[in-house]
């Protein structure tokens, strides 16, 4: 049996207009770079002639393998079946419709083979990446879809990309429950990996054939996110678990801040006889300081700290973000109470949650952004 360097999975459903060109393009690029590749087309029993074209090409193109699925129709299911049948230790996934430039495949391959990355992602959202001919609606949906991934995988700008490569061992022990379109989220959430890299690319919308995005696709996606979130809470060898832990610690630190705040407010008002609104300023500042120290030494205790070299810089950044957080809390409290007629204590709880999300996310992406990003 041939030992392949890479298996390139191309999921297809009714791609008669594109399939021959994409297979020839991938095959040509691999040959050019002296990479022995398997091309694995995983088709959901297309009725438009895709299957005949692939069968015909199998005579002339070496390493072209073909799976026809007759049950459990779906893009993610097809890719997962491709993972199982792929013969090489490095697996690439690419769309058939030329939205993903096949010329980049050798870069993905090299990043895994030579640079030792576990996962390499083609990103539309990092510097150098872009999306061509997408209507505003598609852009908004896509950005919404990345939101959850950005929380659990903050280092990754495009966690829902369909263009990626992995080491086969990443998914060897993962219990995948494929559904919907966003198979990469499933891999990131359930796989075992440490090093991921992104390569920017310009996504071009298909010129041939039809789009298959439906409402049910979005509902599937929300269910999938929930499933990934719960899975990561239970399986502590996942990458997302580390992020959950940070969110949890950040919450505990926040709660400790309330204790500090209340204590100082009481002490300064009672023992120094200072007007309570003035004491409150001291109390807020003291709790911001203790929160900072705890977060800096405990919540974000990663070895390669932050891109902000000095602790003072991180403190100033944390301080400014916290002050905005207080502003957000007050704004939500006021708006919900005055305009939505909600009971003020309840509005306040909503405000606290929104401010918490703000504080965590913005600090995660600015104050304690990893050095390597
Ligand atoms: N096996 C299989 N492949 C699918 C299925 N749906 C889509 N694909 C393939 O997955 C890739 C991406 O699908 P697209 O329909 O291009 O999805 P998209 O890029 O989000 O949307 P458009 O390009 O606008 O249509 C293409 O190669 C499709 O042929 C499916 O249900 N089963
Ligand atoms: Mg497409």
């Amino acid at each position: 049996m041939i030992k392949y360097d890479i298996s390139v999975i191309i999921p297809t459903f009714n791609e008669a207009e594109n399939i021959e060109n994409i297979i020839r393009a991938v095959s040509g690029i691999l040959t050019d770079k002296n990479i022995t590749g398997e091309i694995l087309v995983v088709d959901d029993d297309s009725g438009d002639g895709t299957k005949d074209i692939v069968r015909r090409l199998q005579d002339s193109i070496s390493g072209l393998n073909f799976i026809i699925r007759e049950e459990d129709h779906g893009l993610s299911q097809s890719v997962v079946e491709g993972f199982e049948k792929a013969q090489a230790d490095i697996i690439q996934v690419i769309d058939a419709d030329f939205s993903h430039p096949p010329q980049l495949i050798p870069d993905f391959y090299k990043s895994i083979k030579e640079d030792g990355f576990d996962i390499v992602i083609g990103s539309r959202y990092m510097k150098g990446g872009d999306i061509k001919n997408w209507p505003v609606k598609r852009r908004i949906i896509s950005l919404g879809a990345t939101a959850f991934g950005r929380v659990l995988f903050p280092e990754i700008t495009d966690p829902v990309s369909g263009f990626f490569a992995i080491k086969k061992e990443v998914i060897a022990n993962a219990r995948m429950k494929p559904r919907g379109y966003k198979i990469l989220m499933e891999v990131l959430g359930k796989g075992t990996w440490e090093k991921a890299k992104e390569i920017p690319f310009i996504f071009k919308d298909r010129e041939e054939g039809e789009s298959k995005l439906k409402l049910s696709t979005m509902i599937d996606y929300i269910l999938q996110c929930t499933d990934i979130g719960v899975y990561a809470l239970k399986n502590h060898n996942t990458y997302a678990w580390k992020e959950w832990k940070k969110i949890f610690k950040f919450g505990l630190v926040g709660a400790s801040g309330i204790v500090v705040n209340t204590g100082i407010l009481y002490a300064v008002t009672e023992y120094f006889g200072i007007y309570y609104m003035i004491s409150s300023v001291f109390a807020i500042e003291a709790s911001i300081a203790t929160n900072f120290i705890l977060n800096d030494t405990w919540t974000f205790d990663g070895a390669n700290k932050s891109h902000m070299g000095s602790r003072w810089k991180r403190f100033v950044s944390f301080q400014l973000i916290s002050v905005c957080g207080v502003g957000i809390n007050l704004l939500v409290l006021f708006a919900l109470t005055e305009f939505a007629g909600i009971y003020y204590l309840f509005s306040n709880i909503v405000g606290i949650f929104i401010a918490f999300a703000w504080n965590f996310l913005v600090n995660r992406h600015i104050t304690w952004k990893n050095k390597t990003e």
Side-chain angles (χ1 to χ4, degrees):
M1 211 158 89
I2 312 171
K3 183 78 189 113
Y4 293 110
D5 297 322
I6 188 170
S7 293
V8 180
I9 296 177
I10 310 179
T12 54
F13 186 60
N14 293 346
E15 293 287 1
E17 287 108 329
N18 295 309
I19 191 65
E20 173 156 5
N21 291 338
I22 189 78
I23 289 173
R24 289 196 186 282
V26 172
S27 166
I29 287 153
L30 294 177
T31 314
D32 269 3
K33 299 280 174 187
N34 273 324
I35 301 171
T36 314
E38 168 187 33
I39 298 179
L40 184 55
V41 176
V42 189
D43 185 73
D44 260 334
D45 205 13
S46 300
D48 70 339
T50 303
K51 292 188 288 189
D52 296 332
I53 300 172
V54 180
R55 282 200 204 94
R56 171 169 56 76
L57 290 172
Q58 281 186 301
D59 297 335
S60 57
I61 293 182
S62 64
L64 175 56
N65 294 327
F66 192 25
I67 302 171
I68 300 174
R69 308 176 68 247
E70 281 165 359
E71 280 161 34
D72 196 19
H73 183 110
L75 174 53
S76 291
Q77 292 89 315
S78 302
V79 173
V80 168
E81 186 160 344
F83 288 161
E84 285 157 11
K85 308 259 163 76
Q87 295 178 38
D89 294 332
I90 296 176
I91 303 176
Q92 171 87 47
V93 182
I94 185 168
D95 283 359
D97 62 359
F98 284 91
S99 293
H100 305 147
Q103 315 78 272
L104 290 180
I105 294 177
D107 294 347
F108 283 66
Y109 174 72
K110 187 177 153 287
S111 300
I112 294 184
K113 183 84 186 170
E114 288 167 26
D115 308 336
F117 286 94
D118 302 306
I119 301 184
V120 185
I121 299 167
S123 170
R124 300 162 290 180
Y125 296 122
M126 75 193 290
K127 198 164 172 283
D130 202 356
I131 300 176
K132 286 277 174 301
N133 341 314
W134 246 21
V136 176
K137 190 176 141 212
R138 283 293 298 269
R139 281 174 194 261
I140 295 174
I141 292 173
S142 177
L143 278 175
T146 57
F148 175 77
R150 294 265 181 106
V151 175
L152 284 192
F153 318 107
E155 270 85 46
I156 288 167
T157 63
D158 198 352
V160 296
S161 176
F163 190 27
F164 61 93
I166 58 171
K167 276 186 192 158
K168 199 174 193 177
E169 61 201 49
V170 168
I171 41 127
N173 300 312
R175 286 195 304 280
M176 307 263 227
K177 220 197 255 176
R179 55 160 103 75
Y181 255 46
K182 311 299 184 193
I183 182 63
L184 176 58
M185 283 276 286
E186 193 82 8
V187 172
L188 290 169
K190 298 189 174 175
T192 311
W193 57 276
E194 272 167 23
K195 282 176 70 189
K197 170 186 174 178
E198 288 186 293
I199 295 179
F201 81 102
I202 297 179
F203 183 96
K204 282 197 291 184
D205 206 6
R206 62 168 62 246
E207 285 167 5
E208 307 291 339
E210 257 175 69
S211 173
K212 286 132 207 144
L213 184 72
K214 292 191 289 267
L215 179 69
S216 60
T217 319
M218 293 182 219
I219 295 171
D220 269 347
Y221 180 64
I222 293 170
L223 293 174
Q224 189 195 355
C225 286
T226 313
D227 182 57
I228 291 171
V230 173
Y231 185 95
L233 282 175
K234 292 189 195 149
N235 293 272
H236 299 175
N237 61 344
T238 55
Y239 186 91
W241 167 248
K242 287 188 216 147
E243 218 47 44
W244 274 135
K245 240 176 29 187
K246 290 198 179 96
I247 296 173
F248 186 68
K249 286 177 167 184
F250 198 82
L252 280 183
V253 170
S256 81
I258 296 177
V259 176
V260 171
N261 188 318
T262 311
I264 304 270
L265 178 62
Y266 179 79
V268 175
T269 310
E270 298 299 320
Y271 299 116
F272 296 92
I274 289 174
Y275 178 53
Y276 76 96
M277 286 303 284
I278 309 272
S279 319
S280 172
V281 175
F282 288 104
I284 289 174
E285 193 47 48
S287 59
I288 288 178
T290 53
N291 279 2
F292 173 76
I293 292 167
L294 289 172
N295 281 324
D296 202 56
T297 51
W298 184 56
T299 313
F300 298 99
D301 60 349
N304 63 342
K305 259 272 125 79
S306 154
H307 71 131
M308 274 189 205
S310 94
R311 180 169 272 190
W312 279 111
K313 271 198 201 158
R314 293 199 293 275
F315 180 63
V316 171
S317 163
F318 182 77
Q319 169 94 39
L320 292 176
I321 293 164
S322 302
V323 170
C324 292
V326 173
I328 289 171
N329 191 343
L330 292 176
L331 205 73
V332 173
L333 167 62
F334 182 74
L336 290 183
T337 311
E338 293 300 317
F339 303 124
I342 292 172
Y343 182 56
Y344 75 99
L345 287 184
F346 188 72
S347 308
N348 192 40
I349 290 181
V350 177
I352 290 174
F353 267 99
I354 296 178
F356 177 80
W358 157 271
N359 280 340
F360 180 79
L361 290 175
V362 181
N363 276 306
R364 179 69 181 86
H365 284 278
I366 296 179
T367 317
W368 287 287
K369 181 179 176 186
N370 280 350
K371 233 185 201 149
T372 49
E373 284 164 45

